[in-house]
């Protein structure tokens, strides 16, 4: 009966595909047709749906259709169900949507191909450049299908392929194949024969390895491209016409073997990436797709070791996608020959070819082994963990709740009340993501995301001094994992978005800017589009972590454990049960050595220089080894506790909450649990600090910091911190630094911190009045001060400063800015003071860099902007038009506003 039911649904689906009409076969109607009870039919329908044979349309009543029939007809049925027939019709094939990387590494290429195809009057020729196995032939074939689907070609339009390399040693034969020949053209030409141009008339001719085409044939082809006519081999005056679209492909660099006159006639030239240049997510999808195809061919379920997946993802295949596909085919075929047909086909690392197997030993590709099951009915999006999830809707729901709270804030709540309620909701959502159970397939994708997020956080910490709790990487990774399941683009509540965004910019500018930097890096690393909602939610999360770090907790507690997310899980459990952010985490791979762990601990201490007390909870008896590789400062306390457990984490957390002295804490843990401990006691020593800042952003302040650090000797024992200008101006230096510890502040504008000397950057560049030397003479010897002064003069030349803040050639940038300043002086009839000149040099260099990187400052106080005279703004814009033209950028009004502030309001 199940077979009959399947046949009826397939017939009905075929009718839908052909005519877009369907017979409304409900469970009741099918029961009558098969003379069966309705509940029996419903049972079989749902069984076939759960097996992936049918997809479900959740109308009333519910309808079912055949997945195979829809898929064969080009519908992208990667979900188990849709809500309406209209939703199903939306899945009708855009030919390129089946291409892995359509929204990632191949997005630009496909947009160019669509442009070439849709161009009027027979489209445009295009050429595909790419290494062997990168997918050139497959994309050319899809281009033919796309042209038919867009009605640019008829359904019967031919697709003719010629691999020029096969005839490279016989150019005459190749020419005759391409253009045809007349009777008597050469010995044996006993009758006229049409060539491939004639065969492709009305369709597409794809010339692969076109660089093997002789110069003579290239010349004939570009005449055909110009006029639409060609001359068969041996003909004198006879010309023929053909209406042919041309696609070329080559593995060689452009113009290496192709005539300049030929390549110039191909308006669209497309570079395809090799396999290793494609994102991890795309490589994972390719691997899953090829295994799923083999599962269909062999009609069996595959059980694949997660290590096989990892190794295939990281191995650099010389033959790219093609070699990856053949390797997977070999693995499956090798096992299929000896398998019991009733059992699963098992794929593990022992089957890998020797050259690939070597990668199994590499540390980064090894993780706990789990098997991934792929059957003929498995959906790729489910394997990737990108199927529909209830958790994705949590993000939308949370945002609506925050918008409602913000409305209350506008009406009755105080700023602190609103923030407290909003942060609680964000923290609860993040917790729900972290503690959600997931399949091994999903866990692999989460691991990939987590690696990327950790590298981004390390970069932000190193270059921007943005510190997020170490287990915060796992929180953000979990958020992104569920966020990837939802591609919302909001149009509603735009006014509320704007007000909420403005609130965060005004009140928590540093967290907002940090969230923007984080999102910029996440989008580039993960091939994900993040929008205003993400910007706002991640700002709230960063505010939350910052507030937690500023709580009255002197001791930083770090858990180090081997295994994926083991330390993070322990930290999350402790923080959640104790309802405080006490623990941070380092997750170490199973192969991490004591040296590596010790180095991580040492790096962590050096990066958290504000803290005085550190407690490290470690696993697997690593204490003795770790302590040999850390270099504690004299001013801090360090405690190390061996064999961390959940009960220990909770016990330590409770003692931290009770403000127990760290040495007493270590002694108590040692006595209670009879485990090994070690601690280092601090020696009294005052820190000496220089702070750098810049009104153009933390990035510039950080570059100034690096220049100063390069000028200081290590034995001076002077630390240099870069800080956000607006945070410094409105919130001061913060609780972690004492004003007595700060020697001076160096920057582009004075934040006016009481009793702390300020040195303008332009004075360091110009060497004016020796202020820096005077300030430093209080903390250094005369010889040290003179040595420092020599290095400052060397490192803070205008060339050096500009070079440190831009990727462009510094002298070119300086010359451009000189011209701009000269024009400003003429336009505004004034001499620009030296300090303002230096500020403008730095600011405009940063402006050019920001625009090139697409990171322009898009916010400027609206009231202040409205007060700027229009004629002055227009004049500034005219002066900067040369930059816009040279670098193909557009300067937003906000950036013009900041230039006005420097020119006319800078004190």
């Amino acid at each position: 009966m199940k077979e009959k039911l399947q046949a009826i649904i397939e017939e009905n689906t075929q009718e839908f595909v052909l005519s877009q009409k369907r017979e409304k076969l409900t469970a009741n109607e099918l029961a009558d047709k098969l003379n069966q009870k309705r509940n029996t039919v419903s049972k079989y329908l749902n069984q076939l749906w759960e097996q992936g044979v049918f997809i479900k349309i959740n109308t009333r009543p519910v309808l079912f259709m055949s997945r195979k029939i829809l898929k064969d007809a080009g519908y992208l049925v990667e979900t188990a169900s849709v809500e309406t027939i209209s939703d199903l019709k939306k899945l009708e094939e855009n030919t390129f949507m089946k291409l892995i990387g359509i929204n990632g590494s191949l997005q630009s290429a496909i947009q160019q191909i669509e442009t070439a195809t849709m161009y009027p009057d027979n489209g445009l020729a295009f050429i595909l450049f790419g290494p062997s196995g990168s997918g050139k032939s497959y994309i050319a074939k899809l281009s033919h299908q796309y042209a038919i689907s867009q009605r640019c070609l008829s359904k019967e339009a031919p697709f003719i392929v010629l691999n020029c390399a096969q005839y490279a040693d016989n150019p005459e034969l190749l020419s005759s194949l391409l253009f045809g020949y007349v009777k008597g053209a050469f010995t044996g030409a006993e009758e006229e024969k049409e060539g491939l141009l004639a065969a492709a008339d009305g369709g597409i001719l794809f010339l692969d390895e076109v660089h093997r085409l002789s110069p003579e044939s290239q010349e004939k082809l570009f005449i055909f491209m110009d006029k639409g006519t060609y001359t068969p081999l041996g003909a004198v005056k006879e010309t023929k016409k053909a209406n042919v679209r041309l696609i070329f492909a080559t593995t060689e660099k452009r113009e290496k073997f192709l005539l300049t006159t030929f390549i110039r006639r191909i308006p669209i030239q497309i570079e395809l990436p090799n396999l290793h240049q494609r994102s991890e997510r795309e490589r994972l999808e390719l691997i899953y797709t090829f295994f799923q195809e083999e599962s269909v061919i062999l009609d069996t379920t595959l059980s694949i070791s997660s290590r096989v997946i990892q190794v295939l993802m990281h191995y650099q295949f010389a033959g790219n996608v093609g070699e990856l596909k053949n390797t997977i085919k070999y693995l499956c075929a090798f096992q299929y020959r000896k398998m019991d047909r009733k059992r699963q086909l098992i794929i593990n690392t022992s089957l890998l070819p020797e050259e690939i197997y070597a990668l199994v030993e590499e540390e980064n590709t090894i993780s706990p082994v789990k098997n991934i099951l792929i059957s003929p009915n498995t959906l790729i999006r489910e394997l990737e963990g990108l199927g529909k999830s209830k958790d994705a809707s949590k993000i939308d729901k949370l945002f609506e709740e925050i918008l409602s709270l913000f409305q209350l804030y506008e009406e009755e709540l105080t700023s602190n009340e609103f923030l407290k309620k909003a942060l609680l909701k964000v923290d609860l959502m993040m917790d729900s993501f972290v503690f959600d159970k997931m399949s091994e397939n999903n866990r692999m994708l989460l691991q990939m995301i987590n690696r990327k997020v950790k590298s981004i956080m390390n970069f932000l910490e190193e270059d921007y001094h943005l510190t997020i709790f170490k287990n915060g990487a796992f929180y953000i990774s979990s958020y992104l994992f569920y966020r990837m399941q939802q591609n919302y683009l909001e149009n509603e509540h735009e006014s509320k978005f704007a007000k909420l965004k403005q609130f965060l910019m005004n009140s928590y500018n540093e967290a907002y800017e940090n969230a923007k930097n984080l999102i910029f890096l996440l989008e580039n690393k993960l091939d994900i589009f993040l929008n205003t909602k993400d910007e706002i939610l991640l700002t709230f999360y960063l505010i939350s972590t910052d507030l937690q770090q500023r709580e009255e907790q002197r001791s930083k507690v770090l858990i180090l454990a081997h295994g994926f997310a083991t330390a993070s899980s322990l930290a999350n459990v402790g923080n959640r049960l104790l309802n405080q952010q006490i623990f941070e985490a380092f997750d170490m791979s199973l192969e991490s050595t004591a040296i590596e762990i010790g180095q991580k601990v040492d790096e962590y201490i050096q990066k958290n220089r504000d803290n005085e007390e550190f407690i490290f909870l470690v696993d697997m008896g690593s204490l003795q080894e770790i302590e040999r590789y850390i270099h504690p400062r004299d001013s801090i306390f360090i405690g190390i506790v061996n064999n961390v457990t959940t009960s220990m984490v909770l016990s330590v957390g409770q003692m931290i909450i009770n403000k127990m002295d760290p040495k007493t804490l270590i002694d108590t843990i040692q006595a209670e649990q009879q485990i090994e401990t070690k601690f280092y006691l601090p020696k009294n020593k005052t820190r000496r600090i220089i702070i750098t800042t810049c009104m153009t952003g933390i990035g510039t302040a950080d570059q100034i910091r690096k220049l100063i650090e390069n000028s200081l000797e290590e034995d001076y024992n002077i630390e240099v911190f870069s800080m956000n200008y607006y945070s410094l101006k409105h919130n001061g230096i913060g609780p972690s630094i004492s004003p007595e510890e700060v020697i001076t502040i160096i920057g582009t504008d004075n934040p006016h911190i009481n009793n702390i000397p300020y040195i303008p950057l332009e004075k360091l560049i110009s060497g004016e009045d020796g202020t820096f030397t005077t300030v430093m003479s209080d903390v250094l010897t005369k010889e040290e001060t003179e040595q420092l002064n020599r290095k400052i003069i060397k490192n803070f030349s205008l060339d050096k400063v500009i070079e440190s803040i831009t990727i462009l050639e510094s002298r070119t940038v300086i010359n451009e800015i000189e011209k701009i300043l000269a024009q400003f002086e003429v336009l505004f009839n004034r001499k620009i003071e030296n300090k303002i000149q230096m500020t403008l040099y730095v600011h405009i260099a940063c402006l050019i860099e920001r625009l090139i990187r697409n990171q322009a400052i898009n916010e400027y106080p609206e009231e202040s902007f409205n007060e700027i005279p229009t004629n002055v703004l227009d004049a500034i814009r005219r002066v900067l038009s040369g930059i816009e033209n040279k670098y193909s950028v557009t300067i937003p009004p906000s950036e013009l506003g900041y230039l006005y502030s420097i020119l006319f309001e800078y004190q």
Side-chain angles (χ1 to χ4, degrees), residues 104 448 459 588 756 835 872:
M448 180 194 82
F459 169 78
M588 313 299 293
I756 298 179
K835 70 173 185 177
V872 176

Side-chain angles (χ1 to χ4, degrees), residues 238-256:
E238 180 189 2
T239 59
K240 292 192 174 186
K241 284 189 174 183
N243 186 24
V244 178
R245 293 171 179 248
L246 294 171
I247 302 176
F248 308 101
T250 178
T251 55
E252 299 297 329
K253 299 293 183 185
R254 71 192 72 205
E255 297 180 3
K256 186 174 181 181

Side-chain angles (χ1 to χ4, degrees), residues 25 33 58 139 191 203 303 420 422 504 506 540 602 638 705 771:
L25 292 178
K33 201 162 189 173
N58 293 318
I139 289 175
E191 58 183 2
S303 176
K420 186 175 180 180
L504 292 172
N506 293 340
F540 277 121
D602 194 40
I638 295 177
R705 172 186 66 80
T771 307

Side-chain angles (χ1 to χ4, degrees), residues 501-655:
K501 186 175 173 181
Q502 194 64 47
F503 167 81
L504 292 172
M505 285 165 52
N506 293 340
S507 304
Y508 301 94
N509 181 266
E510 186 171 3
Y512 174 74
E513 289 297 326
N514 286 335
K516 280 179 63 178
N517 286 328
L518 179 60
I519 282 174
F520 174 77
L521 295 169
L522 289 170
E523 286 185 325
N524 281 278
K525 278 274 188 181
L526 291 169
D527 289 330
I528 180 175
F529 172 75
L530 300 172
N531 54 36
T532 308
K533 283 185 179 179
D534 303 296
E535 198 173 84
I536 290 171
L537 293 178
L538 286 175
T539 299
F540 277 121
Y541 181 67
L542 294 184
I543 294 170
S544 176
T545 59
D546 184 55
L547 290 175
Q548 290 161 358
Q549 286 173 316
R550 294 188 185 196
E551 288 178 356
E552 288 185 18
Q553 177 197 321
R554 293 170 63 206
S555 298
K556 292 189 80 69
V557 187
L558 180 68
I559 300 172
L560 298 101
H562 294 77
F564 172 67
T566 304
S568 293
S569 297
L570 285 168
N572 292 332
V573 167
N575 293 334
R576 192 172 190 181
L577 292 179
L578 296 169
N579 199 30
Q580 288 196 30
Q581 192 72 33
I582 297 171
F583 303 99
E584 298 182 51
F586 271 140
D587 295 304
M588 313 299 293
S589 73
L590 294 173
E591 288 68 40
S592 292
T593 64
I595 297 177
E596 292 167 330
I597 299 173
Q599 287 172 343
K600 286 282 186 185
V601 170
D602 194 40
E603 287 171 12
Y604 180 79
I605 292 170
Q606 304 309 322
K607 286 176 181 176
N608 290 278
R609 293 175 289 191
D610 295 349
N611 292 85
E612 298 175 353
E613 298 167 359
F614 295 87
I615 296 172
F616 299 102
L617 309 180
V618 302
D619 72 341
M620 296 180 70
S622 304
L623 184 148
Q624 295 92 341
E625 294 294 329
I626 290 174
E627 65 173 311
R628 293 181 3 200
Y629 300 101
I630 60 175
H631 305 87
R633 303 193 312 272
D634 291 339
S635 59
I636 63 174
F637 172 93
I638 295 177
I640 307 174
V641 183
N642 220 355
N643 298 332
V644 60
T645 62
T646 303
S647 63
M648 181 196 294
V649 168
L650 296 174
S651 180
V652 168
Q654 196 58 59
M655 285 186 266

Side-chain angles (χ1 to χ4, degrees), residues 730-792:
H730 298 298
N731 305 322
I733 57 177
S736 63
I737 301 175
S738 166
E740 292 76 26
E741 296 174 323
V742 182
I743 302 169
T744 184
I745 296 173
I746 298 171
T748 56
D749 197 14
N750 192 349
H752 298 289
I753 308 297
N754 289 339
N755 302 320
I756 298 179
Y758 168 74
I759 300 174
L761 177 62
E762 64 268 14
K763 287 193 175 181
L764 282 187
I765 297 173
S766 63
E768 279 186 34
D769 72 18
T771 307
F772 184 66
T773 306
T774 303
V775 168
M776 297 306 295
S777 63
D778 292 336
V779 293
L780 298 176
T781 66
K782 183 178 179 181
E783 292 76 15
E784 288 172 339
T785 303
E786 289 174 354
Q787 183 183 18
L788 175 60
N789 192 48
R790 285 193 296 271
K791 288 195 173 183
I792 288 291

Side-chain angles (χ1 to χ4, degrees), residues 148 217 231 301 324 577 723 730 775 805 829 841:
I148 292 173
S217 294
T231 303
T301 297
L324 170 64
L577 292 179
M723 299 183 72
H730 298 298
V775 168
I805 59 180
N829 193 27
Y841 270 111

